[in-house]
Amino acid sequence: MHIRLFYAIFCMILASPASAAAAELGISGVWARASAGMARAGAAFMTIDNPNPQADALIAAEAGVSGVVELHTHIDDNGVMRMRKVPRIAVPANGRTEMKPGGLHVMFIGLTAPLKEGQRFDLTLVFEKAGRIVVPVEVKSAKAR
Ligand SMILES: [Cu+2]
């Protein structure tokens, strides 16, 4: 007799937010600066929004535009801004991580060809929890900020 009611409650439990899979990370404003002249390095920037109650982290990135792709930050070394490789870029729970010029970025080392304004290429981001996410990168002017 109460089978239908039981079934309805069972379905409600399945559909409750507590049992829902983690929501997707929001990755927006992905861009790279056009490389200057014969420069063999480039960088990409973006905003990562995490709608989940668990923290995540960007742990690697892959792209076909260069031989090596690294995660970098800038540090102030006695007034001189220097880039440094980092093993991971944290994305806080219910939070946002901004990667922008002068701060965190994805670094392309050994560009196989110059990055030209208007060009687009795919960047694969590898997250600790969210896994692999491919995003298109828009190449903006060498003067873009
Ligand atoms: Cu760098």
Side-chain angles (χ1 to χ4, degrees):
M1 57 118 188
H2 286 124
I3 298 245
R4 287 181 74 173
L5 178 60
F6 173 78
Y7 185 71
I9 291 168
F10 183 65
C11 289
M12 280 164 60
I13 291 167
L14 278 187
S16 73
S19 63
E24 282 179 27
L25 296 176
I27 298 163
S28 56
V30 189
W31 68 282
R33 190 178 282 150
S35 56
M38 296 302 291
R40 299 294 310 277
F45 313 98
M46 70 201 73
T47 299
I48 304 169
D49 283 297
N50 182 5
N52 298 300
Q54 294 88 28
D56 206 334
L58 179 62
I59 52 172
E62 299 162 9
V65 297
S66 65
V68 175
V69 183
E70 293 181 348
L71 306 179
H72 277 196
T73 190
H74 275 90
I75 54 153
D76 186 338
D77 182 4
N78 288 316
V80 181
M81 294 302 283
R82 295 185 196 281
M83 294 193 293
R84 180 147 297 174
K85 185 179 174 183
V86 291
R88 64 204 296 283
I89 292 175
V91 184
N94 298 306
R96 164 179 282 191
T97 293
E98 302 236 34
M99 299 173 66
K100 53 190 177 185
L104 297 163
H105 55 279
V106 174
M107 189 86 198
F108 306 112
I109 299 167
L111 289 173
T112 52
L115 294 179
K116 295 202 175 84
E117 186 175 350
Q119 178 192 344
R120 276 171 188 272
F121 63 90
D122 282 347
L123 174 65
T124 301
L125 302 170
V126 185
F127 289 92
E128 224 162 52
K129 295 198 177 72
R132 301 166 70 87
I133 300 175
V134 180
V135 293
V137 181
E138 182 188 351
V139 180
K140 294 188 180 176
S141 141
K143 296 184 188 108
R145 298 274 155 220

